[in-house]
Structures are given as structure tokens and as C-alpha cells.
Amino acid sequence: MRDITHFIDGAPVAGTSHQYGQVFNPNTGEVQARVALASVGEMDLAVASALRAQQHWALVNPQRRARVMFDFKRLIEANMDELAELLSSEHGKVIADSKGDIQRGLEVIEFACGIPHALKGEYTEGAGPGIDVYSMRQPLGVCAGITPFNFPAMIPMWMFGISIAVGNAFILKPSEKDPSVPVRLAELMMEAGAPKGVLNVVHGDKVAVDAILQHPDVKAVSFVGSSDIAQYVYSHGTANGKRVQAMGGAKNHGIVMPDADLDQAVKDITGAAFGSAGERCMALPVVVPVGAKTAEAFREKMLAEIETLKVGISTDASAQYGPVVSEVHRRRISDYIQLGVEEGAELIVDGRDFSLQGYENGFFIGPSMFDHVKPGMRTYQDEIFGPVLQMVRAESFEEAVALPSNHQYGNGVAIFTRNGRAAREFASQVQVGMVGINVPIPVPVAYHTFGGWKRSAFGDTNQHGMEGVKFYTKVKTITARWPEGATEDSAFVIPTMK
């Protein structure tokens, strides 16, 4: 049995709580490792290490911090195959998808390599008589990230890349389901030249989360996970005086207009709905064809496309997707499919009985598809987070726009059309944070920002890009005057710039 330890102050640290989580191989269903779950004492140890490191790291000039990011980027690229295989072995996504997970995180590291430019402040000469005004961005201190199982490389790098580049130290609490890649990332960060304690990895459950939210020396917390936990993290973190960004669940829609390139839309939606076994917060599990003719044509083409899908083990290069992360999650998806049947939706493809020869104990589930799903159904309102596509028919463009706009989640949405005016109106009107036009998974590039609306995000600052720089820094504004000769008498009214 392999033991996965914490990574604190630049070295492995065994757990003292004697509490462990099981790490499975989703392809076989076997336990492959156990991960130590932190006590409050281990979190205190990590915060103390981060505090010591941050005091010196903040004094390193931005260009030298950027050079560490450049070296970290080089090391990630050199170790891409190792990282992808490790990620797939614990999560279950296919190797190509794991490389995409790492690459999208690496793009934020590339953005962080330009941190000297992003940290530049503002300057006004002569704001008043002999008075100059300027601002600077300074690090917060110790920051923390709580990340989900579905992107064990990308989302941690979204968080700690910018936080460390601007001069903070960082504590990462990754998912205990696939914790090995986050530890390896911390090791590579040390190899890249970051001082020990600048990036610590502490595994755990609610005990570790609450320790982060309550520790007075943790100044900011970034979270990605379910909406209920996101709301908990946001409310408790802000109540303790912390800056918090908490990203929650999603139920992303794909609107298919009558003039869409239907063959391309089907291909795009297939990948977005079933890729990574649907375990993406930017998956596209709801398709909304506009008009009965569009719906029937889409249904026919999608059924044919689903027939071509290959589900396999994560190392099978010909497989489109692999197993889900755990048996508990596989049962949860199956229960939602059964609920959909009970609610009256038409189950036209049922993947619950899928079994892979030689891997019968793996956490596999085949692609499933519903038609005639209604907005009042719980299976439509909830995030299933599995390879399940639901079709909700709309009679008009207005009805189609209203569906994602009225949903409790507002993470991402896409429209498929050849009509530029319809796309423009849709992008303007829809009440969702990220919009794709003929793009099924509209995750912005690293120098823009990622963030949803409604119950998909709590807090007012998005992930990465300049929003990330703002989240992990505080602004200080200086008004300076250098008088010549005798000073004026004390003023008892508020100074103005006449």
C-alpha cells in the first residue's frame, strides 16, 4: 500500500491524525494508495511554514519570481508524460485528457511568467501643486486553495501560480480522491527555485477545510467544488475576515438554432457532454434544439454519434473517455438516470449496464441520453456530473434563452448558429457568466478570466487573468508632496486640489 503524505516546508510530512482516505484506481476498482488526512495541528504547521517563507519571498523582485515560474513551466513540460499518467491512474480520465488538464493549468503559469508587467501600478504626476499620486499592488501574505477531484492539475495551477508569482505563500488542500499530482507539482515548484514553504500541500476533509477558514493568518481562500460547499466556504471565510472566491456547480446548456451546422454541433456537443465522463464543471449536459424539426434531426444524428463512442481504460489511446472517479460517484449517476425515468423523461440511451471486459470492477458507466426533459424536473435542475446528455426542446429563440437564464446555475452556455445577429443577441441577453458561440466549452484563455454567475460562483472576483492578480494582491495608494522652504500653517479643512 502506497502512502501519500503532506508536503510541508519543502518536505514530505506523515500524518499524525492517523486518519486516512482511500485512493482508488478507477479502471480496476482497487485501492492503490492511502492518503493522510490532516489534523488542525498539521494545518498550523503548514501556515507557520508559509508565514516564514512569505516574508522573504515578498522581498524578491517580481522579475526573479517570474524566473521561478519560467523554470516551473519548463519542468512541467519535461515531466508531462509522468504527470499525465499519474493523473489518469487516480482520476480515470484518458491520458490525452489528462495532458489537456495539465496544459490548461500551464497556460496560467505562462501568464504568471509576465507578472512584472501585471503588477505595475498607476502614477499621476502633478495631481495637485507639487503633489504626485501613485499606487502599488502588494501581496496579501498566506493564501489557500481548496480544489476538486475533476481537475487535479489545472485548478491548483490556476490558483497557486498567480498567488505565488505576486509574492504570496500558498497552502493547497486538494481533493483526497486524486492527491498525487498536486504533491508532485509542489515538488517541481521547489525544484524550480521557490523557497521551501512557499507552496505547501495539505490533504484532508472537513477538518482541514475548517482549519483553513478559521486560521487568522490565512488571508484569502479560493475554492472550486459543489455549490453547497462553495456557499459554506464563502460564508464562513468572509465571516472570519478573509477574501474568498468560491466557484460552485453548473448545468451548462447548448442552444442549437435551426440554421446551425448540425453535423459540427453534434460532434462538439458529444465531446462536451461525454468527455472526461462528464466530470467537468464546463461540460455541456443540456442541449436545447429550437423547433421540432431541429430536435428530431439532432436526436437522429446524436444517437448515431453515441453509437461510435468508445469507453475504455484511461491508458487506451482509442478511448474517448474512461471510468468515473469512484464507485460512490458511479452509483450517484445511475441513481439520477433512474430518477429521470421516474420523472417522465424519455431515456433513449441507457449506459447503466455498461461493463468493460477484463475490468468489470472498474467504475465505468456508458453514455446516456434523455429526450423530452422538462425544466421542472429535478434531474434538470441538479448537476449530475456524469456522461448523461439531456435534451430540452424549445419552440423559439426566446424560450431557449430563458432556459439557462432562469436556471439556478450560470457557469457556461453555448449557442450553435450561422446567424451573427442571433449570436450577438444571445450573448447580450443570456444570464450566464461565460458564453460560447459555436464553442461548446467556453473556458476563457488564461489571460482572460473564468467565473460564473448565480449559484455557480460566490464572491465578486473571477479566477486567473488580471482578476486573479487583483484577488491575490491589495492596492496601496500614496499621495506624496516634497515641500520647499517653510511649510504652511496647519489646515483644519479637508485638502482639495484647487
Side-chain angles (χ1 to χ4, degrees):
M1 179 69 66
R2 178 168 59 94
D3 279 341
I4 301 170
T5 61
H6 311 295
F7 189 83
I8 299 173
D9 207 39
V13 173
T16 60
S17 69
H18 304 295
Q19 299 293 318
Y20 297 92
Q22 293 181 320
V23 179
F24 290 89
N25 179 339
N27 297 288
T28 63
E30 298 173 344
V31 177
Q32 61 168 305
R34 67 175 189 172
V35 57
L37 303 180
S39 65
V40 174
E42 278 140 3
M43 190 60 71
D44 288 342
L45 187 67
V47 174
S49 169
L51 272 173
R52 290 192 302 269
Q54 196 273 332
Q55 292 171 3
H56 300 286
W57 182 241
L59 299 177
V60 175
N61 71 61
Q63 191 169 358
R64 291 187 179 274
R65 293 200 299 263
R67 288 172 185 166
V68 172
M69 292 296 153
F70 273 109
D71 282 343
F72 181 66
K73 172 183 179 294
R74 175 183 56 80
L75 289 168
I76 294 292
E77 291 168 340
N79 291 274
M80 178 67 78
D81 289 342
E82 172 210 337
L83 289 166
E85 290 168 7
L86 184 59
L87 195 160
S88 290
S89 72
E90 293 182 353
H91 177 277
K93 64 177 69 176
V94 296
I95 295 291
D97 202 19
S98 290
K99 289 183 177 181
D101 182 334
I102 298 163
Q103 182 60 40
R104 289 309 297 261
L106 193 59
E107 289 168 6
V108 175
I109 301 302
E110 290 173 340
F111 173 82
C113 290
I115 207 65
H117 178 75
L119 282 177
K120 289 191 302 185
E122 299 173 326
Y123 191 99
T124 299
E125 181 183 12
I131 296 176
D132 302 327
V133 179
Y134 59 97
S135 66
M136 60 181 71
R137 289 197 168 272
Q138 296 184 322
L140 301 176
V142 176
C143 301
I146 303 166
T147 58
F149 74 83
N150 59 322
F151 285 100
M154 180 184 78
I155 295 177
M157 283 194 276
W158 278 10
M159 296 178 184
F160 72 66
I162 294 176
S163 182
I164 291 172
V166 302
N168 297 303
F170 200 85
I171 296 169
L172 175 63
K173 206 299 287 183
S175 170
E176 64 276 16
K177 293 182 174 67
D178 44 10
S180 291
V181 166
V183 173
R184 188 71 184 113
L185 293 176
E187 293 171 346
L188 293 174
M189 182 64 77
M190 298 302 102
E191 189 176 338
K196 63 181 184 180
V198 162
L199 177 56
N200 299 294
V201 179
V202 181
H203 310 291
D205 49 17
K206 187 175 184 296
V207 172
V209 171
D210 286 343
I212 288 171
L213 297 177
Q214 294 167 9
H215 202 293
D217 290 321
V218 175
K219 302 303 181 184
V221 179
S222 183
F223 171 88
V224 176
S226 70
S227 288
D228 288 344
I229 305 302
Q231 189 167 15
Y232 175 87
V233 168
Y234 182 77
S235 60
H236 284 69
T238 53
N240 287 316
K242 304 184 191 311
R243 187 178 291 184
V244 181
Q245 55 179 191
M247 307 298 166
K251 193 77 171 188
N252 305 321
H253 294 56
I255 313 303
V256 181
M257 297 296 291
D259 68 336
D261 181 336
L262 208 54
D263 290 331
Q264 186 62 53
V266 167
K267 290 282 187 183
D268 287 345
I269 292 170
T270 301
F274 302 116
S276 196
E279 295 172 317
R280 295 172 178 155
C281 65
M282 288 298 284
L284 204 161
V286 179
V287 60
V288 183
V290 178
K293 183 177 179 181
T294 307
E296 292 301 327
F298 180 88
R299 172 172 166 153
E300 180 182 350
K301 289 179 179 292
M302 178 55 74
L303 288 173
E305 190 68 21
I306 288 174
E307 287 292 323
T308 70
L309 289 180
K310 180 179 180 182
V311 182
I313 59 173
S314 55
T315 54
D316 183 352
S318 64
Q320 274 88 16
Y321 74 85
V324 297
V325 72
S326 68
E327 175 59 24
V328 171
H329 191 54
R330 192 194 69 80
R331 288 199 301 269
R332 177 180 181 274
I333 297 166
S334 294
D335 289 346
Y336 267 113
I337 295 172
Q338 181 59 36
L339 177 60
V341 173
E342 294 169 1
E343 289 182 317
E346 181 189 3
L347 181 60
I348 53 178
V349 181
D350 188 351
R352 288 175 292 179
D353 293 332
F354 179 87
S355 179
L356 190 63
Q357 186 175 2
Y359 297 89
E360 288 81 4
N361 293 325
F363 309 140
F364 294 94
I365 187 164
S368 298
M369 183 177 174
F370 284 97
D371 193 0
H372 301 290
V373 175
K374 303 300 181 184
M377 294 179 177
R378 183 182 155 198
T379 49
Y380 169 77
Q381 291 295 330
D382 291 357
E383 182 179 34
I384 298 174
F385 220 59
V388 181
L389 179 62
Q390 297 173 285
M391 192 158 82
V392 182
R393 299 182 179 221
E395 292 301 319
S396 66
F397 174 78
E398 291 75 18
E399 183 183 349
V401 174
L403 284 165
S405 295
N406 294 333
H407 202 280
Q408 65 169 328
Y409 297 124
N411 211 40
V413 69
I415 185 170
F416 298 88
T417 181
R418 291 186 175 97
N419 188 316
R421 180 178 178 182
R424 187 174 185 273
E425 288 184 7
F426 179 80
S428 175
Q429 295 174 18
V430 72
Q431 297 300 299
V432 173
M434 292 173 284
V435 180
I437 298 172
N438 298 310
V439 175
I441 305 178
V443 178
V445 292
Y447 44 89
H448 286 267
T449 66
F450 178 101
W453 291 2
K454 296 176 284 189
R455 281 182 54 78
S456 290
F458 299 84
D460 56 3
T461 308
N462 283 357
Q463 298 269 357
H464 64 70
M466 284 305 299
E467 286 282 286
V469 175
K470 292 176 182 177
F471 181 76
Y472 289 113
T473 58
K474 52 193 175 187
V475 176
K476 181 180 290 182
T477 305
I478 298 93
T479 303
R481 179 178 65 176
W482 301 98
E484 296 180 4
T487 59
E488 299 176 1
D489 294 335
S490 297
F492 291 91
V493 296
I494 190 167
T496 59
M497 301 299 182
K498 293 184 179 179

